[in-house]
Amino acid sequence: MNYPIDISIKPEVTPFFDPETNTISYVVKDPSSPACAIVDSVMDIDYAAGRISYKSADRIVEYIRSNGLQVDWLIETHAHADHLSAAPYIQQQLGGKLGIGEHIVTVQETFGKIFNEGTDFKRDGSQFDRLFKDGDTYSIGKMTAFVIHTPGHTPACTTHVIGDSAFTGDTLFMPDGGTARADFPGGDARTLYRSVRKLLETLPPETRLFLCHDYGPDGREIRWETTVREERMHNIHVRDGVSEDSFVKMREARDKTLSMPRLIVPSLQVNTRAGHLPEPDESGKTFLKVPINTL
Ligand SMILES: [Fe+2]
């Protein structure tokens, strides 16, 4: 695939860190116009109380409004398992088109079965405005963004490259954090290795990488920005010289030790619906399911 790389374009990137889920959302602005994209927004949930709220999303809405920005796109790098997306809430207030990787249909199929969803749960990605294929391009003001399909953590993972900046979702963590797990339904460690190496060998070394999560390993401060060069030199899981087989062995062994993310059950029911809650039942109330002994 010949990707339209142009590192002379330098978008203005503003991070929003959510300490509840260690998620970083981004506003990515065209330096030559008010146009921007929002990457991986967060809807707040008090899971124990079954209550959702929008403090995190409102910070972004307020930022966009007070800076007079125009939202061209709301991007989901993948169907997240650790937080709920606020994309529909933000879209309702600010507009923009909502996009995710085309393989969301695979994720919808998988979790449609796990949650025994009825026929009203569409598995064709139609909850989104656009399903991106590998190599697809789209515009944010005068900037051209493009998509690299980077499966492994999930089948629908994508990296969005906008000028000199790439938004990797959970395909990569900071060099001292390594990589995300690859053991969710549809995940695969070998596929993840190949995606990461494709990314690191395709993008120029000075490309800025913006990550979706950081957990501050060994007590260091939270960080979310690195470069392709740094990852190739120092990433503890996938730096240059680490073989595919040794990565797969490490990743699979490590994944066996991890418990499920606290919010996986609500996250996947909401995020496979593009951030919408399930339809209310006949009582008019909205419910989420908990599958027993399934995940
Ligand atoms: Fe994820």
Side-chain angles (χ1 to χ4, degrees), residues 78 80-82 153 170 213:
H78 61 296
H80 307 276
D82 50 24
H153 171 61
D170 291 356
H213 293 293

Side-chain angles (χ1 to χ4, degrees), residues 26-285:
Y26 297 97
V27 172
V28 190
K29 182 190 169 293
D30 176 8
S32 63
S33 80
C36 71
I38 299 167
V39 180
D40 290 332
S41 60
V42 174
M43 177 163 76
D44 306 309
I45 184 166
D46 177 344
Y47 192 32
R51 192 164 289 280
I52 60 163
S53 57
Y54 299 99
K55 201 171 149 207
S56 301
D58 283 338
R59 283 166 64 205
I60 294 177
V61 170
E62 173 55 29
Y63 176 83
I64 302 273
R65 287 207 170 118
S66 61
N67 287 281
L69 305 188
Q70 167 208 314
V71 179
D72 284 359
W73 285 95
L74 298 125
I75 299 297
E76 296 293 317
T77 55
H78 61 296
H80 307 276
D82 50 24
H83 69 271
L84 285 64
S85 167
Y89 172 80
I90 296 176
Q91 185 179 38
Q92 196 183 26
Q93 298 188 62
L94 301 174
K97 282 176 284 198
L98 173 54
I100 197 165
E102 60 172 340
H103 295 282
I104 186 66
V105 296
T106 307
V107 180
Q108 289 176 326
E109 195 59 51
T110 302
F111 286 95
K113 283 199 187 97
I114 288 173
F115 289 105
N116 193 28
E117 301 284 6
T119 48
D120 61 328
F121 175 65
K122 299 243 170 23
R123 294 148 168 91
D124 59 0
S126 57
Q127 301 89 337
F128 297 85
D129 300 313
R130 176 134 176 219
L131 302 182
F132 293 114
K133 290 183 171 50
D134 185 59
D136 272 359
T137 62
Y138 59 97
S139 297
I140 304 165
K142 297 190 179 79
M143 303 189 294
T144 299
F146 66 90
V147 179
I148 306 181
H149 181 216
T150 47
H153 171 61
T154 80
C157 286
T158 49
T159 293
H160 289 252
V161 185
I162 306 164
D164 73 343
S165 300
F167 299 83
T168 61
D170 291 356
T171 298
L172 267 174
F173 288 156
M174 290 299 290
D176 59 354
T179 52
R181 63 197 300 169
D183 63 332
F184 295 150
D188 181 68
R190 195 166 294 278
T191 308
L192 178 61
Y193 178 89
R194 290 177 188 177
S195 290
V196 171
R197 293 307 307 176
K198 177 170 85 167
L199 206 57
L200 297 182
E201 288 164 27
T202 300
L203 298 175
E206 58 270 48
T207 305
R208 296 189 286 165
L209 298 179
F210 292 94
L211 317 177
C212 185
H213 293 293
D214 186 66
Y215 302 94
D218 297 325
R220 75 141 162 71
E221 69 197 18
I222 301 294
R223 292 177 57 205
W224 45 73
E225 181 179 348
T226 181
T227 62
V228 167
R229 180 183 289 111
E230 284 293 308
E231 295 282 22
R232 291 186 68 156
M233 285 171 66
H234 300 300
N235 187 290
I236 56 169
H237 294 168
V238 285
R239 65 183 176 275
D240 290 357
V242 176
S243 74
E244 182 172 310
D245 284 343
S246 67
F247 171 81
V248 169
K249 202 169 153 204
M250 177 284 303
R251 188 70 265 170
E252 289 180 347
R254 186 169 156 70
D255 286 349
K256 286 196 179 74
T257 71
L258 303 175
S259 49
M260 280 291 146
R262 186 172 58 91
L263 296 178
I264 186 169
V265 164
S267 296
L268 279 159
Q269 286 173 89
V270 169
N271 295 339
T272 54
R273 291 176 165 84
H276 293 283
L277 293 164
E279 290 295 314
D281 75 358
E282 60 281 2
S283 74
K285 291 178 183 155

